[in-house]
Amino acid sequence: MILDDSLALRRPFRERSFGVVRKLGRVNWLFVLCVCLLAGVGYAALYSAAGGSAEPYAQSQIIRFCGMLVMMLGIAMVDIRLLAKLSWPAYGLGIALLLVVMLAGHTGLGAKRWIDLGPIEIQPSELMKLFLAMALADYFKRATPEQTGNPLYVLPMALAVLIPVGLILKEPNLGTAVITATIGATVMLGAGVRWWWFAIIVAIVAISAPVIYHHLHAYQKARIDIFLNPGADPLGAGYNIIQSKIALGSGGFFGQGYLHGTQNQLNFLPEKQTDFVFTIIAEEFGYLGSLAVLGLLFGIVALALHTALTCGHTYGRLLALGIGTNFFLYCFVNLSMVMGLIPVGGVPIPLISYGGSALTAVMLGFGVLQSIHVHRDVTFASPDDL
């Protein structure tokens, strides 16, 4: 897949009159509205998860969101050419943070994924996905078809993907590592790297699956075993997915009503404020409510891809593609997980699940996405600008 310059819809404007007011007018406010609506859904779900109380989840989450919304709009005002210059420093920062996690990270639930900064904890693997997309977009911004077809030209970026993926696997965090690798592959495909190279890699991984399984951690093997046969341990490892399916099915077409979901209110749902928060929506608002939320989620993905297609410069197109892919994978993995289509992996659903790291990373990416949209017609006039 090659996002060619001919796909861009160029709109003339004079950069000298491109002030803050003009930039605010160019923000995709439909996108901002969808993000705010999704955060409202998250507030309602977290309020229900606490048994009809704003504490301890909903209130702190909406306060964080409001702060992140201001940050998103602030980043949207920053010239995308300045952000492009920060691509590799950001990548280096992400690698450094992952090394800090490996050496002195905070351990929780058997994994070392966080850096404890006192009042807050950050999860560098979430930020690394954005930083990787920025670095790849910067590298391929002027690549020719001949270069993207040259393995020696692509090899440095393959290593740039494998380094953070390896560090994230070390935490261990298999789900985020796979998502990070997929984002890297998608941006490289968008730049014109040959698709069959990736097909060969996927085939090798598939053939090596038994060997890979043998080297997984015990809890990762258990997740795969339970995915294949949840009934083998219904009160232990299989409990989460069984209760999730019960909640999804009990909502019916119209749902049981807000704050009246039996699985939720009787505390049968596991991790209902984080990984399995969508089950609350399905149980209380039914098929129709779930469909509306899915419409919001994939509406955001569509608007991100629209920004990629209408951007007039390669850097913005590739980066918007990476950001849209990241959000899509969040949604796809979480929803597939709660429905039992893939093993449980601990991936939250953006703007709905409780937690600060994923929210911060997603809103930071959305800020960069809006900067791309606002500055979609700027000209990268010289190698220094690029």
Short mmCIF file of all heavy atoms in Angstrom, two decimals, residues 27-28 30-39 65 68-78 80 83 127 130 134 296-305 307 319-328 330-331 349-352 358-374:
data_model
loop_
_atom_site.label_atom_id
_atom_site.label_comp_id
_atom_site.label_asym_id
_atom_site.label_seq_id
_atom_site.Cartn_x
_atom_site.Cartn_y
_atom_site.Cartn_z
N VAL A 27 -9.12 23.02 13.10
CA VAL A 27 -9.23 21.79 13.88
C VAL A 27 -10.44 20.99 13.41
O VAL A 27 -11.49 21.56 13.07
CB VAL A 27 -9.34 22.11 15.38
CG1 VAL A 27 -9.74 20.87 16.18
CG2 VAL A 27 -8.03 22.68 15.91
N ASN A 28 -10.31 19.70 13.37
CA ASN A 28 -11.43 18.84 13.01
C ASN A 28 -12.34 18.69 14.23
O ASN A 28 -12.16 17.78 15.05
CB ASN A 28 -10.92 17.47 12.54
CG ASN A 28 -12.02 16.60 11.96
OD1 ASN A 28 -13.20 16.81 12.24
ND2 ASN A 28 -11.64 15.64 11.14
N LEU A 30 -15.41 17.81 14.47
CA LEU A 30 -16.20 16.58 14.51
C LEU A 30 -15.41 15.49 15.22
O LEU A 30 -15.97 14.72 16.03
CB LEU A 30 -16.54 16.13 13.09
CG LEU A 30 -17.30 14.80 12.97
CD1 LEU A 30 -18.62 14.85 13.73
CD2 LEU A 30 -17.53 14.45 11.50
N PHE A 31 -14.11 15.43 14.95
CA PHE A 31 -13.25 14.48 15.65
C PHE A 31 -13.24 14.76 17.14
O PHE A 31 -13.36 13.85 17.96
CB PHE A 31 -11.82 14.57 15.08
CG PHE A 31 -10.85 13.61 15.68
CD1 PHE A 31 -10.66 12.34 15.14
CD2 PHE A 31 -10.11 13.95 16.81
CE1 PHE A 31 -9.77 11.45 15.70
CE2 PHE A 31 -9.21 13.07 17.37
CZ PHE A 31 -9.03 11.81 16.83
N VAL A 32 -13.08 16.03 17.52
CA VAL A 32 -13.07 16.41 18.94
C VAL A 32 -14.39 16.03 19.59
O VAL A 32 -14.42 15.53 20.73
CB VAL A 32 -12.79 17.92 19.09
CG1 VAL A 32 -12.87 18.33 20.56
CG2 VAL A 32 -11.42 18.27 18.53
N LEU A 33 -15.50 16.26 18.89
CA LEU A 33 -16.82 15.90 19.43
C LEU A 33 -16.92 14.40 19.67
O LEU A 33 -17.41 13.96 20.73
CB LEU A 33 -17.92 16.34 18.46
CG LEU A 33 -19.35 15.93 18.83
CD1 LEU A 33 -19.76 16.55 20.17
CD2 LEU A 33 -20.33 16.32 17.73
N CYS A 34 -16.45 13.59 18.72
CA CYS A 34 -16.49 12.13 18.90
C CYS A 34 -15.65 11.69 20.09
O CYS A 34 -16.07 10.81 20.86
CB CYS A 34 -15.99 11.44 17.63
SG CYS A 34 -17.10 11.56 16.21
N VAL A 35 -14.50 12.31 20.27
CA VAL A 35 -13.64 11.98 21.41
C VAL A 35 -14.33 12.33 22.72
O VAL A 35 -14.30 11.54 23.68
CB VAL A 35 -12.28 12.73 21.28
CG1 VAL A 35 -11.48 12.63 22.58
CG2 VAL A 35 -11.48 12.17 20.12
N CYS A 36 -14.98 13.49 22.77
CA CYS A 36 -15.67 13.90 24.00
C CYS A 36 -16.86 12.99 24.29
O CYS A 36 -17.13 12.65 25.45
CB CYS A 36 -16.13 15.36 23.88
SG CYS A 36 -14.78 16.56 23.89
N LEU A 37 -17.59 12.61 23.26
CA LEU A 37 -18.72 11.70 23.46
C LEU A 37 -18.25 10.36 23.99
O LEU A 37 -18.89 9.77 24.87
CB LEU A 37 -19.48 11.52 22.14
CG LEU A 37 -20.30 12.72 21.65
CD1 LEU A 37 -20.88 12.43 20.27
CD2 LEU A 37 -21.42 13.04 22.63
N LEU A 38 -17.14 9.88 23.45
CA LEU A 38 -16.60 8.59 23.92
C LEU A 38 -16.15 8.69 25.37
O LEU A 38 -16.35 7.75 26.15
CB LEU A 38 -15.45 8.16 23.03
CG LEU A 38 -15.04 6.69 23.11
CD1 LEU A 38 -16.20 5.78 22.76
CD2 LEU A 38 -13.85 6.43 22.19
N ALA A 39 -15.56 9.82 25.75
CA ALA A 39 -15.18 10.02 27.14
C ALA A 39 -16.42 10.08 28.04
O ALA A 39 -16.40 9.60 29.18
CB ALA A 39 -14.38 11.31 27.29
N PHE A 65 -9.25 13.37 31.78
CA PHE A 65 -9.61 13.60 30.38
C PHE A 65 -9.65 15.08 30.05
O PHE A 65 -9.16 15.50 28.98
CB PHE A 65 -10.96 12.96 30.05
CG PHE A 65 -11.48 13.36 28.70
CD1 PHE A 65 -10.95 12.78 27.55
CD2 PHE A 65 -12.46 14.33 28.57
CE1 PHE A 65 -11.40 13.16 26.30
CE2 PHE A 65 -12.92 14.71 27.32
CZ PHE A 65 -12.39 14.13 26.18
N MET A 68 -6.25 16.27 29.57
CA MET A 68 -5.69 15.75 28.33
C MET A 68 -6.32 16.41 27.10
O MET A 68 -5.66 16.57 26.06
CB MET A 68 -5.92 14.23 28.25
CG MET A 68 -5.16 13.41 29.27
SD MET A 68 -3.36 13.55 29.11
CE MET A 68 -3.00 14.66 30.47
N LEU A 69 -7.58 16.82 27.20
CA LEU A 69 -8.24 17.51 26.09
C LEU A 69 -7.58 18.85 25.82
O LEU A 69 -7.35 19.23 24.66
CB LEU A 69 -9.73 17.69 26.39
CG LEU A 69 -10.57 18.34 25.29
CD1 LEU A 69 -10.57 17.47 24.03
CD2 LEU A 69 -12.00 18.59 25.77
N VAL A 70 -7.27 19.58 26.89
CA VAL A 70 -6.55 20.86 26.75
C VAL A 70 -5.18 20.61 26.12
O VAL A 70 -4.74 21.35 25.23
CB VAL A 70 -6.41 21.56 28.11
CG1 VAL A 70 -5.52 22.79 28.01
CG2 VAL A 70 -7.78 21.95 28.66
N MET A 71 -4.50 19.54 26.59
CA MET A 71 -3.20 19.19 26.01
C MET A 71 -3.32 18.87 24.53
O MET A 71 -2.50 19.30 23.71
CB MET A 71 -2.61 17.99 26.76
CG MET A 71 -1.27 17.52 26.20
SD MET A 71 -0.78 15.86 26.77
CE MET A 71 -1.94 14.85 25.83
N MET A 72 -4.35 18.12 24.15
CA MET A 72 -4.56 17.74 22.76
C MET A 72 -4.70 18.97 21.87
O MET A 72 -4.07 19.08 20.81
CB MET A 72 -5.80 16.86 22.63
CG MET A 72 -6.06 16.34 21.22
SD MET A 72 -7.65 15.49 21.04
CE MET A 72 -8.74 16.91 20.79
N LEU A 73 -5.52 19.92 22.30
CA LEU A 73 -5.74 21.13 21.51
C LEU A 73 -4.48 21.99 21.49
O LEU A 73 -4.20 22.66 20.49
CB LEU A 73 -6.93 21.91 22.06
CG LEU A 73 -8.28 21.20 21.92
CD1 LEU A 73 -9.38 22.00 22.61
CD2 LEU A 73 -8.63 21.00 20.45
N GLY A 74 -3.72 21.98 22.58
CA GLY A 74 -2.47 22.72 22.61
C GLY A 74 -1.47 22.16 21.61
O GLY A 74 -0.81 22.92 20.88
N ILE A 75 -1.37 20.83 21.55
CA ILE A 75 -0.45 20.20 20.59
C ILE A 75 -0.90 20.47 19.16
O ILE A 75 -0.08 20.64 18.25
CB ILE A 75 -0.35 18.69 20.85
CG1 ILE A 75 0.29 18.42 22.22
CG2 ILE A 75 0.44 17.99 19.75
CD1 ILE A 75 0.29 16.97 22.63
N ALA A 76 -2.23 20.54 18.95
CA ALA A 76 -2.75 20.82 17.62
C ALA A 76 -2.29 22.17 17.09
O ALA A 76 -2.19 22.37 15.87
CB ALA A 76 -4.28 20.77 17.63
N MET A 77 -1.96 23.10 17.97
CA MET A 77 -1.51 24.42 17.56
C MET A 77 -0.03 24.44 17.17
O MET A 77 0.46 25.40 16.59
CB MET A 77 -1.74 25.44 18.68
CG MET A 77 -3.20 25.59 19.12
SD MET A 77 -4.30 26.19 17.81
CE MET A 77 -5.11 24.66 17.30
N VAL A 78 0.71 23.37 17.52
CA VAL A 78 2.14 23.31 17.24
C VAL A 78 2.35 22.92 15.78
O VAL A 78 1.74 21.96 15.29
CB VAL A 78 2.84 22.30 18.17
CG1 VAL A 78 4.33 22.22 17.85
CG2 VAL A 78 2.63 22.70 19.62
N ILE A 80 3.43 21.20 12.61
CA ILE A 80 3.80 19.80 12.42
C ILE A 80 5.27 19.66 12.02
O ILE A 80 5.91 18.64 12.30
CB ILE A 80 2.88 19.15 11.36
CG1 ILE A 80 3.11 17.63 11.30
CG2 ILE A 80 3.08 19.78 10.00
CD1 ILE A 80 2.82 16.91 12.60
N LEU A 83 7.19 19.32 15.16
CA LEU A 83 7.02 17.97 15.70
C LEU A 83 7.84 16.97 14.90
O LEU A 83 8.38 16.01 15.47
CB LEU A 83 5.54 17.58 15.68
CG LEU A 83 4.62 18.40 16.60
CD1 LEU A 83 3.17 17.95 16.43
CD2 LEU A 83 5.04 18.27 18.05
N LEU A 127 3.55 5.04 25.26
CA LEU A 127 4.10 6.21 24.56
C LEU A 127 4.96 5.79 23.38
O LEU A 127 5.03 6.47 22.36
CB LEU A 127 4.91 7.06 25.53
CG LEU A 127 4.16 7.65 26.72
CD1 LEU A 127 5.13 8.32 27.69
CD2 LEU A 127 3.11 8.65 26.25
N LEU A 130 3.54 5.72 19.72
CA LEU A 130 3.49 7.00 19.01
C LEU A 130 4.88 7.42 18.57
O LEU A 130 5.07 7.85 17.42
CB LEU A 130 2.87 8.07 19.91
CG LEU A 130 2.93 9.51 19.37
CD1 LEU A 130 2.15 9.63 18.07
CD2 LEU A 130 2.41 10.49 20.42
N MET A 134 6.28 8.20 14.73
CA MET A 134 6.91 9.47 14.36
C MET A 134 8.27 9.24 13.71
O MET A 134 8.59 9.85 12.68
CB MET A 134 7.06 10.36 15.60
CG MET A 134 5.75 10.85 16.19
SD MET A 134 5.96 11.77 17.74
CE MET A 134 6.86 13.22 17.15
N LEU A 296 -19.00 5.15 17.39
CA LEU A 296 -18.09 6.21 17.84
C LEU A 296 -16.63 5.79 17.67
O LEU A 296 -15.79 6.56 17.18
CB LEU A 296 -18.36 6.55 19.30
CG LEU A 296 -19.44 7.59 19.61
CD1 LEU A 296 -19.60 7.73 21.12
CD2 LEU A 296 -19.10 8.94 18.99
N LEU A 297 -16.33 4.58 18.10
CA LEU A 297 -14.95 4.10 18.03
C LEU A 297 -14.43 4.08 16.60
O LEU A 297 -13.35 4.62 16.30
CB LEU A 297 -14.85 2.70 18.64
CG LEU A 297 -15.04 2.59 20.16
CD1 LEU A 297 -15.18 1.12 20.57
CD2 LEU A 297 -13.88 3.22 20.89
N PHE A 298 -15.19 3.50 15.72
CA PHE A 298 -14.71 3.36 14.35
C PHE A 298 -14.92 4.64 13.55
O PHE A 298 -14.29 4.83 12.51
CB PHE A 298 -15.34 2.14 13.70
CG PHE A 298 -14.87 0.86 14.34
CD1 PHE A 298 -15.68 0.16 15.22
CD2 PHE A 298 -13.59 0.41 14.11
CE1 PHE A 298 -15.22 -1.00 15.84
CE2 PHE A 298 -13.12 -0.75 14.72
CZ PHE A 298 -13.94 -1.46 15.59
N GLY A 299 -15.79 5.54 14.04
CA GLY A 299 -15.86 6.88 13.46
C GLY A 299 -14.57 7.64 13.69
O GLY A 299 -14.08 8.36 12.80
N ILE A 300 -13.99 7.48 14.87
CA ILE A 300 -12.70 8.11 15.17
C ILE A 300 -11.61 7.55 14.27
O ILE A 300 -10.76 8.28 13.75
CB ILE A 300 -12.35 7.92 16.66
CG1 ILE A 300 -13.30 8.77 17.53
CG2 ILE A 300 -10.90 8.29 16.95
CD1 ILE A 300 -13.14 8.56 19.02
N VAL A 301 -11.62 6.23 14.07
CA VAL A 301 -10.64 5.61 13.17
C VAL A 301 -10.79 6.16 11.76
O VAL A 301 -9.80 6.51 11.09
CB VAL A 301 -10.80 4.08 13.16
CG1 VAL A 301 -9.88 3.45 12.12
CG2 VAL A 301 -10.50 3.50 14.54
N ALA A 302 -12.04 6.28 11.29
CA ALA A 302 -12.29 6.77 9.93
C ALA A 302 -11.82 8.21 9.77
O ALA A 302 -11.24 8.58 8.74
CB ALA A 302 -13.78 6.67 9.61
N LEU A 303 -12.04 9.05 10.79
CA LEU A 303 -11.60 10.44 10.72
C LEU A 303 -10.08 10.54 10.73
O LEU A 303 -9.49 11.41 10.08
CB LEU A 303 -12.20 11.24 11.87
CG LEU A 303 -13.71 11.49 11.78
CD1 LEU A 303 -14.24 12.07 13.08
CD2 LEU A 303 -14.03 12.43 10.61
N ALA A 304 -9.42 9.64 11.47
CA ALA A 304 -7.95 9.61 11.47
C ALA A 304 -7.43 9.24 10.08
O ALA A 304 -6.48 9.85 9.58
CB ALA A 304 -7.45 8.63 12.51
N LEU A 305 -8.04 8.25 9.45
CA LEU A 305 -7.62 7.85 8.11
C LEU A 305 -7.95 8.93 7.08
O LEU A 305 -7.21 9.12 6.11
CB LEU A 305 -8.29 6.53 7.71
CG LEU A 305 -7.88 5.32 8.56
CD1 LEU A 305 -8.60 4.06 8.08
CD2 LEU A 305 -6.37 5.11 8.54
N THR A 307 -7.76 12.10 7.68
CA THR A 307 -6.65 13.05 7.83
C THR A 307 -5.43 12.55 7.08
O THR A 307 -4.73 13.32 6.41
CB THR A 307 -6.31 13.25 9.32
OG1 THR A 307 -7.41 13.90 9.98
CG2 THR A 307 -5.06 14.10 9.49
N LEU A 319 2.30 9.40 9.54
CA LEU A 319 2.10 9.47 10.98
C LEU A 319 0.62 9.34 11.33
O LEU A 319 0.26 8.65 12.30
CB LEU A 319 2.66 10.79 11.51
CG LEU A 319 2.59 11.00 13.02
CD1 LEU A 319 3.13 9.81 13.79
CD2 LEU A 319 3.34 12.28 13.41
N ALA A 320 -0.26 9.98 10.55
CA ALA A 320 -1.70 9.85 10.79
C ALA A 320 -2.14 8.39 10.61
O ALA A 320 -2.99 7.89 11.36
CB ALA A 320 -2.48 10.77 9.85
N LEU A 321 -1.55 7.72 9.63
CA LEU A 321 -1.85 6.29 9.44
C LEU A 321 -1.44 5.49 10.66
O LEU A 321 -2.19 4.61 11.12
CB LEU A 321 -1.11 5.78 8.20
CG LEU A 321 -1.23 4.29 7.90
CD1 LEU A 321 -2.67 3.90 7.60
CD2 LEU A 321 -0.32 3.90 6.72
N GLY A 322 -0.26 5.79 11.22
CA GLY A 322 0.20 5.08 12.41
C GLY A 322 -0.69 5.34 13.63
O GLY A 322 -1.01 4.42 14.38
N ILE A 323 -1.10 6.59 13.81
CA ILE A 323 -1.95 6.93 14.95
C ILE A 323 -3.33 6.28 14.81
O ILE A 323 -3.88 5.75 15.78
CB ILE A 323 -2.07 8.47 15.07
CG1 ILE A 323 -0.71 9.07 15.44
CG2 ILE A 323 -3.13 8.86 16.12
CD1 ILE A 323 -0.66 10.58 15.36
N GLY A 324 -3.89 6.33 13.60
CA GLY A 324 -5.18 5.67 13.38
C GLY A 324 -5.09 4.17 13.59
O GLY A 324 -6.01 3.56 14.15
N THR A 325 -4.00 3.57 13.15
CA THR A 325 -3.80 2.12 13.33
C THR A 325 -3.71 1.78 14.81
O THR A 325 -4.27 0.77 15.26
CB THR A 325 -2.52 1.67 12.61
OG1 THR A 325 -2.64 1.94 11.22
CG2 THR A 325 -2.27 0.18 12.83
N ASN A 326 -3.00 2.60 15.58
CA ASN A 326 -2.87 2.36 17.02
C ASN A 326 -4.24 2.35 17.70
O ASN A 326 -4.56 1.44 18.48
CB ASN A 326 -1.99 3.44 17.65
CG ASN A 326 -1.77 3.22 19.13
OD1 ASN A 326 -1.69 2.10 19.61
ND2 ASN A 326 -1.70 4.31 19.88
N PHE A 327 -5.07 3.34 17.38
CA PHE A 327 -6.40 3.41 18.00
C PHE A 327 -7.26 2.22 17.57
O PHE A 327 -7.96 1.62 18.39
CB PHE A 327 -7.09 4.72 17.63
CG PHE A 327 -8.37 4.96 18.37
CD1 PHE A 327 -8.35 5.46 19.66
CD2 PHE A 327 -9.59 4.67 17.79
CE1 PHE A 327 -9.53 5.66 20.36
CE2 PHE A 327 -10.78 4.87 18.47
CZ PHE A 327 -10.75 5.37 19.76
N PHE A 328 -7.19 1.87 16.29
CA PHE A 328 -7.96 0.73 15.80
C PHE A 328 -7.55 -0.55 16.52
O PHE A 328 -8.41 -1.36 16.91
CB PHE A 328 -7.76 0.56 14.29
CG PHE A 328 -8.30 -0.73 13.76
CD1 PHE A 328 -9.65 -0.89 13.54
CD2 PHE A 328 -7.45 -1.80 13.50
CE1 PHE A 328 -10.17 -2.09 13.06
CE2 PHE A 328 -7.95 -3.00 13.03
CZ PHE A 328 -9.31 -3.15 12.80
N TYR A 330 -6.17 -0.88 19.51
CA TYR A 330 -6.72 -0.84 20.87
C TYR A 330 -8.13 -1.41 20.87
O TYR A 330 -8.47 -2.30 21.67
CB TYR A 330 -6.79 0.61 21.36
CG TYR A 330 -5.63 1.14 22.15
CD1 TYR A 330 -4.90 2.23 21.70
CD2 TYR A 330 -5.29 0.59 23.38
CE1 TYR A 330 -3.85 2.76 22.44
CE2 TYR A 330 -4.25 1.10 24.13
CZ TYR A 330 -3.53 2.19 23.65
OH TYR A 330 -2.49 2.70 24.39
N CYS A 331 -8.97 -0.86 19.98
CA CYS A 331 -10.39 -1.26 19.94
C CYS A 331 -10.55 -2.72 19.54
O CYS A 331 -11.28 -3.48 20.18
CB CYS A 331 -11.16 -0.37 18.96
SG CYS A 331 -11.11 1.39 19.33
N ILE A 349 -9.68 -0.36 26.47
CA ILE A 349 -10.39 0.28 25.36
C ILE A 349 -10.26 1.79 25.56
O ILE A 349 -10.60 2.31 26.62
CB ILE A 349 -11.85 -0.19 25.28
CG1 ILE A 349 -12.50 0.26 23.99
CG2 ILE A 349 -12.65 0.24 26.48
CD1 ILE A 349 -13.80 -0.45 23.68
N PRO A 350 -9.76 2.51 24.59
CA PRO A 350 -9.41 3.93 24.78
C PRO A 350 -10.59 4.80 25.20
O PRO A 350 -11.70 4.65 24.71
CB PRO A 350 -8.90 4.35 23.39
CG PRO A 350 -8.50 3.09 22.72
CD PRO A 350 -9.43 2.05 23.23
N LEU A 351 -10.32 5.71 26.14
CA LEU A 351 -11.26 6.72 26.61
C LEU A 351 -12.42 6.16 27.42
O LEU A 351 -13.24 6.92 27.93
CB LEU A 351 -11.80 7.55 25.45
CG LEU A 351 -10.75 8.28 24.61
CD1 LEU A 351 -11.38 8.86 23.35
CD2 LEU A 351 -10.10 9.38 25.42
N ILE A 352 -12.50 4.85 27.53
CA ILE A 352 -13.58 4.23 28.31
C ILE A 352 -13.00 3.52 29.52
O ILE A 352 -13.49 3.70 30.65
CB ILE A 352 -14.40 3.25 27.44
CG1 ILE A 352 -15.03 3.99 26.25
CG2 ILE A 352 -15.49 2.59 28.27
CD1 ILE A 352 -15.83 3.09 25.32
N ALA A 358 -2.79 4.77 29.27
CA ALA A 358 -3.37 4.63 27.93
C ALA A 358 -4.08 5.90 27.51
O ALA A 358 -4.00 6.33 26.35
CB ALA A 358 -4.33 3.44 27.90
N LEU A 359 -4.79 6.55 28.45
CA LEU A 359 -5.48 7.79 28.14
C LEU A 359 -4.50 8.87 27.71
O LEU A 359 -4.71 9.57 26.71
CB LEU A 359 -6.28 8.26 29.35
CG LEU A 359 -7.00 9.61 29.21
CD1 LEU A 359 -8.07 9.52 28.13
CD2 LEU A 359 -7.61 10.04 30.54
N THR A 360 -3.41 9.00 28.45
CA THR A 360 -2.40 10.00 28.11
C THR A 360 -1.80 9.73 26.74
O THR A 360 -1.65 10.64 25.92
CB THR A 360 -1.28 10.01 29.18
OG1 THR A 360 -1.85 10.32 30.46
CG2 THR A 360 -0.22 11.04 28.84
N ALA A 361 -1.44 8.48 26.47
CA ALA A 361 -0.82 8.13 25.20
C ALA A 361 -1.78 8.38 24.04
O ALA A 361 -1.38 8.91 22.99
CB ALA A 361 -0.38 6.67 25.23
N VAL A 362 -3.05 8.00 24.20
CA VAL A 362 -4.02 8.17 23.13
C VAL A 362 -4.27 9.66 22.86
O VAL A 362 -4.29 10.10 21.70
CB VAL A 362 -5.34 7.46 23.50
CG1 VAL A 362 -6.47 7.91 22.58
CG2 VAL A 362 -5.17 5.96 23.38
N MET A 363 -4.44 10.45 23.91
CA MET A 363 -4.72 11.87 23.72
C MET A 363 -3.49 12.61 23.18
O MET A 363 -3.63 13.57 22.42
CB MET A 363 -5.19 12.49 25.03
CG MET A 363 -6.54 11.97 25.50
SD MET A 363 -7.88 12.31 24.33
CE MET A 363 -8.13 14.07 24.63
N LEU A 364 -2.31 12.18 23.56
CA LEU A 364 -1.09 12.75 22.99
C LEU A 364 -1.05 12.47 21.48
O LEU A 364 -0.75 13.37 20.68
CB LEU A 364 0.15 12.15 23.67
CG LEU A 364 1.51 12.68 23.24
CD1 LEU A 364 1.64 14.15 23.56
CD2 LEU A 364 2.64 11.89 23.92
N GLY A 365 -1.38 11.25 21.10
CA GLY A 365 -1.45 10.91 19.69
C GLY A 365 -2.52 11.70 18.95
O GLY A 365 -2.30 12.15 17.82
N PHE A 366 -3.66 11.89 19.59
CA PHE A 366 -4.73 12.68 18.97
C PHE A 366 -4.31 14.14 18.79
O PHE A 366 -4.71 14.80 17.83
CB PHE A 366 -6.00 12.61 19.81
CG PHE A 366 -6.73 11.29 19.70
CD1 PHE A 366 -7.77 10.98 20.57
CD2 PHE A 366 -6.39 10.35 18.73
CE1 PHE A 366 -8.45 9.78 20.46
CE2 PHE A 366 -7.07 9.15 18.62
CZ PHE A 366 -8.10 8.87 19.48
N GLY A 367 -3.52 14.67 19.74
CA GLY A 367 -3.01 16.02 19.59
C GLY A 367 -2.12 16.14 18.36
O GLY A 367 -2.22 17.09 17.57
N VAL A 368 -1.23 15.16 18.17
CA VAL A 368 -0.36 15.14 16.99
C VAL A 368 -1.21 14.98 15.73
O VAL A 368 -0.96 15.63 14.70
CB VAL A 368 0.67 14.00 17.11
CG1 VAL A 368 1.50 13.90 15.83
CG2 VAL A 368 1.58 14.23 18.31
N LEU A 369 -2.23 14.14 15.79
CA LEU A 369 -3.12 13.94 14.65
C LEU A 369 -3.80 15.24 14.26
O LEU A 369 -3.90 15.58 13.07
CB LEU A 369 -4.17 12.88 14.99
CG LEU A 369 -5.16 12.53 13.88
CD1 LEU A 369 -4.45 11.79 12.75
CD2 LEU A 369 -6.31 11.68 14.42
N GLN A 370 -4.26 16.01 15.24
CA GLN A 370 -4.90 17.28 14.94
C GLN A 370 -3.89 18.32 14.43
O GLN A 370 -4.23 19.18 13.62
CB GLN A 370 -5.63 17.81 16.17
CG GLN A 370 -6.93 17.08 16.45
CD GLN A 370 -7.84 17.04 15.23
OE1 GLN A 370 -8.27 18.07 14.72
NE2 GLN A 370 -8.11 15.82 14.73
N SER A 371 -2.65 18.24 14.91
CA SER A 371 -1.62 19.11 14.34
C SER A 371 -1.42 18.80 12.86
O SER A 371 -1.26 19.71 12.04
CB SER A 371 -0.29 18.93 15.10
OG SER A 371 0.74 19.68 14.49
N ILE A 372 -1.44 17.52 12.51
CA ILE A 372 -1.35 17.13 11.10
C ILE A 372 -2.53 17.70 10.32
O ILE A 372 -2.36 18.24 9.22
CB ILE A 372 -1.32 15.59 10.98
CG1 ILE A 372 -0.05 15.02 11.64
CG2 ILE A 372 -1.41 15.15 9.52
CD1 ILE A 372 -0.09 13.51 11.81
N HIS A 373 -3.73 17.60 10.89
CA HIS A 373 -4.92 18.08 10.20
C HIS A 373 -4.88 19.60 10.03
O HIS A 373 -5.20 20.11 8.95
CB HIS A 373 -6.17 17.67 10.99
CG HIS A 373 -7.45 17.96 10.28
ND1 HIS A 373 -7.97 17.11 9.32
CD2 HIS A 373 -8.31 19.01 10.37
CE1 HIS A 373 -9.10 17.62 8.86
NE2 HIS A 373 -9.33 18.77 9.48
N VAL A 374 -4.50 20.29 11.07
CA VAL A 374 -4.44 21.76 11.02
C VAL A 374 -3.39 22.22 10.02
O VAL A 374 -3.60 23.17 9.26
CB VAL A 374 -4.13 22.33 12.42
CG1 VAL A 374 -3.79 23.82 12.35
CG2 VAL A 374 -5.32 22.12 13.36
#
